[in-house]
């Protein structure tokens, strides 16, 4: 007897290509919420229904419905935003959302706190700004991310273009989005078509990222499909293909786990689309549609076998992948400050703590970026480390840009400690319905304590990757942190240690379900030993492995890709 399909598969089938009864729910004035089934469909349109968890208990006592609102996520291929778009997005944050813009770990924007009747005008305004929210969430190919490396060379620009084309061309084709949000005419006669996805889309979310070595700022091995651009003598030769990365896990369930993508070969640029489509199509057909916990590509690979998956891909493609080419990653962080591009234009990377653009005290970051957008003639690039690059600045414009940056307190990157420079935190409370512990709101409390500890050992400048997640889903890619906290419950975390600095080795559990005091107590002697015993240029994670503070091998990618 075959296993029954998950409930979501039924909802997708019945949805008529993602329509459901969303239009009716949006019109219903009695509640600020929408039905459970439509909630599932709404994700494909780029939005999640949430409620303010800080207010949940109080409202329950008062017998009020939870404080419902909606999170909206844009699909911004490779994280590129024009100044004109920035100004629109900023206005929407102030008019319809909670007065903040949130840069995500997949180089796009989220708005939080949009009430139901403002969802449609917000989406329409995003569309009018030539962007979309379609397929920013849901069981589809998500926004394709790519190394936020503006114009280092022609070959870099070309690799970037491929990522953008993948994002655009792998988008769903349904007209439902236009009908629901943009007052498009309902479809009569010919049915919608989804040539790649079919009526039930994919078994689960599917993430693609393209990295341009030596930067692994997108964490290419955390992607379902990771592409590593191979540039030789200034020419883009093609891409190494890595499949089956993913971070999500469930506490206490060993059948779920983070996994790094496996490199399965090399393709030329001309073969890229067909290859991406083949990976997606085999996952579409082979992925687990009964148990969503096991539906990501990583489980399909581990269940059916990597070799069998590759063979099926190649059978459908009609050609074999070439052997992987040599590559080397240096690090997976961002390079702060000004950098000159190959064409003599300049790029300024600013650090935005947890990606949250807001005006708080002297940190007038939302206003600062708005002022920059008013005068900047290049574009902005969001990074997967939740930062922003003011890209493509003429040499004689630098002073004006720098003045705005300083005036709004955006110049912290100049003085930040090594660990602060490399800290990521997911959203978590109060909006994320899955959060078990604080993350974004905890980071500003935790960092000074860690900095004090590091300073004691003379390590304030040591670049250490710190990643916080409010639950094991791993939205800040915590399993790739040299130090990571993964939420267990209020004020309690798993402390994980020992990933590398290139995104090529997963970390390991060091202390389970501990509070802040225990975390600091566990780290202090390790910092001390690191200060005293490290070899020149040895990174914290590598050091921990060498001294045996963490043991055993987790799934690991060789430091140097082999030809
Ligand atoms: Fe995530 C679910 C936020 C990147 C793995 N993620 C969620 C939701 C939508 C919670 C929910 O399902 O109700 C969170 C909304 C919180 C809020 O209030 O905004 C959420 N994820 C985020 C963001 C905003 C975190 C951030 O601080 O920037 C990131 C948005 C990315 C984007 O622009 O598309 C974000 N999420 C990630 C990443 C990192 C990445 O992709 O590089 C991961 C790990 C990689 C992966 O997918 O394996 C990630 N998010 C998850 C998972 C676990 C998936 C799994 O396979 O188990 C969930 C839960 C789920 O899908 O059921 C999840
Ligand atoms: Fe929410 Fe967990 Fe993702 Fe953090 S890691 S945003 S708590 S789902």
């Amino acid at each position: 007897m075959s296993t029954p399909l998950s409930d979501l598969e039924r909802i997708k089938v019945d949805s008529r290509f993602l329509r459901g009864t969303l239009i009716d729910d949006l019109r219903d004035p009695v509640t600020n919420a929408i039905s459970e089934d439509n909630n599932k469909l709404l994700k494909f349109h780029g939005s999640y229904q949430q409620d303010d968890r800080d207010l949940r208990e109080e409202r329950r006592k008062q017998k009020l419905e939870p404080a419902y609102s909606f999170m909206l996520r844009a699909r911004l291929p490779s994280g590129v935003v024009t100044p004109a778009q920035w100004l629109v997005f900023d206005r929407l944050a102030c008019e319809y959302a909670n007065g903040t813009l949130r840069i995500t770990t997949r180089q796009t924007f989220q708005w939080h706190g949009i009430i139901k009747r403002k969802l449609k005008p917000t989406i329409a305004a995003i569309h009018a700004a030539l962007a979309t929210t379609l397929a920013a969430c849901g069981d589809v190919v998500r926004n394709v991310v790519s190394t936020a490396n503006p114009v280092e060379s022609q070959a870099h620009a070309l690799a970037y273009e491929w990522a953008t084309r993948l994002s655009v061309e792998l988008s769903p084709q349904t007209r439902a989005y236009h009908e629901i949000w943009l007052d498009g005419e309902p479809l009569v006669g010919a049915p919608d078509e989804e040539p790649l996805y079919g009526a039930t889309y994919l078994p689960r979310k599917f993430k693609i990222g393209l990295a341009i070595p030596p930067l692994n700022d997108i964490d290419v091995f955390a992607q379902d499909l990771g592409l590593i651009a191979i540039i030789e003598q200034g020419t883009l030769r093609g891409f190494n293909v890595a499949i089956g990365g993913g971070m999500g896990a469930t506490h206490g369930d060993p059948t779920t786990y983070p996994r790094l993508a496996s490199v399965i070969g090399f393709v030329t640029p001309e073969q890229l689309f067909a290859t991406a489509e083949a990976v997606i199509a085999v996952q579409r057909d082979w992925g687990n549609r009964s148990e969503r916990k096991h539906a990501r590509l990583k489980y399909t690979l581990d269940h059916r076998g990597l070799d069998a998956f590759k063979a099926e891909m190649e059978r459908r493609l009609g050609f074999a992948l070439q052997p992987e080419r040599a590559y080397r990653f240096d690090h997976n962080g961002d390079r702060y400050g000004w950098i000159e591009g190959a064409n003599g234009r300049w790029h300024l990377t600013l650090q935005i703590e947890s990606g949250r653009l807001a005006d708080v005290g002297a940190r007038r970051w939302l206003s600062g970026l708005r002022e920059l957008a008013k005068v900047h003639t290049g574009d902005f690039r969001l990074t997967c480390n939740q930062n922003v690059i003011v890209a493509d600045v003429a040499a004689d414009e630098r002073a004006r840009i720098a003045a705005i940056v300083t005036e709004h307190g955006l110049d912290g990157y100049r003085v930040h400690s090594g660990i602060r420079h490399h800290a990521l935190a997911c959203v978590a409370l109060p909006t994320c319905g899955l959060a078990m512990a604080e993350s974004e709101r905890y980071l500003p409390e935790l960092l000074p304590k860690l900095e004090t500890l590091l300073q004691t050992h003379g390590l304030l400048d040591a670049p250490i990757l710190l990643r916080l997640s409010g639950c094991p889903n791993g939205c800040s890619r915590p399993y790739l942190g040299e130090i990571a906290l993964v939420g267990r419950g209020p004020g309690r975390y798993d402390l994980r240690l020992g990933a590398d600095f290139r995104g090529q080795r997963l970390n390991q559990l060091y202390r389970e379900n501990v509070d802040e005091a225990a975390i600091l107590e566990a780290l202090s002697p390790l910092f001390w030993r690191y200060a005293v015993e490290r070899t020149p240029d040895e990174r914290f994670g590598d050091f921990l492995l060498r001294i045996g503070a963490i043991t055993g091998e987790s799934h690991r990618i060789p430091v140097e890709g082999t030809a």
Side-chain angles (χ1 to χ4, degrees):
M1 205 175 73
S2 63
T3 330
L5 295 180
S6 73
D7 218 27
L8 193 46
E9 292 302 315
R10 188 231 355 123
I11 294 171
K12 285 188 269 185
V13 173
D14 293 347
S15 77
R16 297 170 300 117
F17 295 96
L18 310 180
R19 287 173 179 76
T21 52
L22 266 168
I23 288 189
D24 301 333
D25 267 10
L26 290 169
R27 285 190 191 132
D28 181 356
V30 174
T31 168
N32 281 318
I34 62 175
S35 76
E36 214 173 293
D37 281 10
N38 284 332
N39 250 311
K40 304 270 189 318
L41 297 175
L42 185 67
K43 298 180 187 181
F44 291 77
H45 297 258
S47 181
Y48 276 67
Q49 177 177 300
Q50 303 182 318
D51 72 284
D52 187 331
R53 292 181 59 185
D54 287 346
L55 304 178
R56 218 181 246 183
E57 190 49 26
E58 186 54 36
R59 290 183 70 93
R60 194 186 58 77
K61 279 190 205 145
Q62 293 185 18
K63 300 201 175 2
L64 293 169
E65 79 171 11
Y68 289 120
S69 68
F70 293 82
M71 175 272 271
L72 193 59
R73 187 183 291 165
R75 186 175 171 100
L76 299 172
S78 303
V80 180
V81 185
T82 65
Q85 286 176 323
W86 193 291
L87 292 172
V88 173
F89 298 164
D90 171 78
R91 178 176 60 78
L92 296 174
C94 298
E95 269 179 29
Y96 295 144
N98 64 355
T100 76
L101 267 176
R102 177 60 157 67
I103 302 170
T104 74
T105 52
R106 292 190 70 77
Q107 64 185 173
T108 189
F109 278 130
Q110 277 188 186
W111 294 262
H112 290 100
I114 304 173
I115 56 167
K116 190 169 82 171
R117 68 194 159 77
K118 297 298 181 193
L119 206 46
K120 191 170 163 180
T122 311
I123 292 179
I126 292 169
H127 178 78
L130 305 181
T132 185
T133 65
L134 176 63
C137 320
D139 297 344
V140 284
V141 173
R142 303 287 186 87
N143 193 35
V144 176
V145 296
S146 130
T147 292
N149 187 342
V151 271
E152 210 155 282
S153 73
Q154 279 288 328
H156 281 75
L158 206 59
Y160 217 80
E161 268 173 41
W162 279 108
T164 305
R165 281 185 56 193
L166 279 172
S167 202
V168 172
E169 293 187 24
L170 296 172
S171 286
Q173 303 296 305
T174 175
R175 296 271 311 155
Y177 189 80
H178 278 74
E179 284 174 27
I180 297 170
W181 309 108
L182 308 171
D183 292 327
E185 287 297 313
L187 202 65
V188 263
D192 261 322
E193 272 184 42
E194 289 285 11
L196 174 61
Y197 294 116
T200 48
Y201 295 84
L202 299 180
R204 201 69 162 85
K205 58 176 80 166
F206 191 99
K207 298 181 173 178
I208 302 182
L210 189 156
I212 311 177
L215 278 186
N216 187 17
D217 57 345
I218 63 153
D219 279 329
V220 71
F221 299 107
Q223 314 290 325
D224 292 274
L225 171 58
L227 302 167
I228 302 166
I230 303 297
I231 298 175
E232 292 164 352
Q233 285 90 44
T235 305
L236 177 68
R237 304 284 178 203
F239 305 91
N240 279 344
V241 177
I243 58 174
M247 296 280 103
T250 306
H251 286 311
D253 179 353
T255 67
T256 65
Y257 44 83
R259 180 189 192 280
L260 294 185
S262 315
V263 181
I264 56 167
F266 168 89
V267 294
T268 63
E270 296 70 38
Q271 295 170 325
L272 180 64
F273 268 100
T275 306
E277 283 193 348
V279 180
I280 296 161
V282 180
Q283 161 64 0
R284 177 196 64 205
D285 300 342
W286 285 15
N288 186 333
R289 289 184 185 260
S290 303
E291 175 55 77
R292 287 186 63 78
K293 249 190 193 182
H294 299 141
R296 290 291 288 273
L297 174 60
K298 60 183 174 181
Y299 301 116
T300 311
L301 294 183
D302 290 347
H303 179 60
R304 303 284 291 252
L306 186 64
D307 291 343
F309 191 96
K310 187 180 171 200
E312 176 64 11
M313 266 177 67
E314 290 179 334
R315 190 187 66 74
R316 296 187 191 198
L317 279 169
F319 64 83
L321 271 57
Q322 298 175 37
E324 69 171 281
R325 300 271 177 100
Y327 62 92
R328 184 185 168 83
F329 287 118
D330 281 350
H331 64 102
N332 58 356
D334 286 343
R335 301 173 296 184
Y336 295 107
W338 288 101
I339 292 178
E340 188 177 7
N343 59 358
R345 309 279 287 184
W346 289 83
H347 314 289
L348 173 64
T349 306
L350 301 173
Q351 183 172 19
I352 309 299
E353 189 177 283
S354 300
R356 183 71 69 178
L357 288 164
D359 286 351
V360 184
R363 283 179 165 192
R364 290 166 43 245
W365 293 356
L366 188 70
S367 301
L369 264 305
R370 183 187 312 130
E371 294 311 311
L372 285 173
K374 285 180 188 165
V375 300
H376 181 41
T377 53
D379 52 33
F380 296 94
R381 312 258 165 147
L382 309 180
T383 81
C384 289
N385 289 309
Q386 303 173 318
N387 296 315
V388 63
I389 304 178
V390 187
D392 202 15
V393 178
D396 58 4
E397 279 294 307
R398 279 183 55 179
R400 177 151 76 143
I401 299 287
I404 297 173
V405 164
T406 308
E407 191 187 329
H408 293 84
L410 281 158
D411 55 350
Y413 69 88
R414 291 168 178 279
V415 294
H416 285 167
S417 65
I419 198 164
R420 193 175 284 265
H421 267 153
H422 294 93
L424 290 186
C426 73
V427 178
L429 293 160
T431 52
C432 177
L434 305 179
M436 298 170 171
E438 295 280 357
S439 179
E440 181 182 326
R441 295 196 296 195
Y442 178 44
L443 185 67
E445 262 180 63
L446 176 69
L447 268 174
K449 293 176 187 164
L450 289 175
E451 284 170 337
T452 304
L453 213 51
L454 287 161
Q455 192 161 26
T456 315
H457 302 295
L459 292 171
L460 203 54
D461 293 332
I464 296 175
L465 285 184
L466 171 70
R467 297 194 171 179
L468 264 62
S469 274
C471 83
N473 283 317
C475 298
S476 60
R477 300 183 291 275
Y479 309 104
L480 287 167
E482 291 178 293
I483 301 176
L485 304 190
V486 176
R488 277 264 172 182
R492 300 191 76 84
Y493 299 85
D494 281 354
L495 171 64
R496 302 183 62 96
L497 297 178
D500 67 353
F501 208 72
R502 305 181 176 93
Q504 292 182 248
R505 182 178 68 233
L506 293 173
N507 56 21
Q508 293 166 27
L509 183 63
Y510 189 69
R511 293 278 187 276
E512 199 169 349
N513 196 9
V514 287
D515 63 9
E516 181 181 273
I519 291 165
L520 297 176
E521 197 181 303
L523 287 173
S524 184
L526 296 175
F527 287 159
W528 176 75
R529 285 194 66 182
Y530 181 52
V532 175
E533 296 174 32
R534 68 186 154 155
T535 57
D537 296 329
E538 189 174 29
R539 301 291 192 180
F540 187 57
D542 295 341
F543 169 77
L544 294 177
L545 197 65
R546 179 169 65 78
I547 64 164
I550 47 167
T551 51
E553 275 292 277
S554 44
H555 184 89
R556 188 172 185 282
I557 306 288
V559 166
E560 193 111 24
T562 48

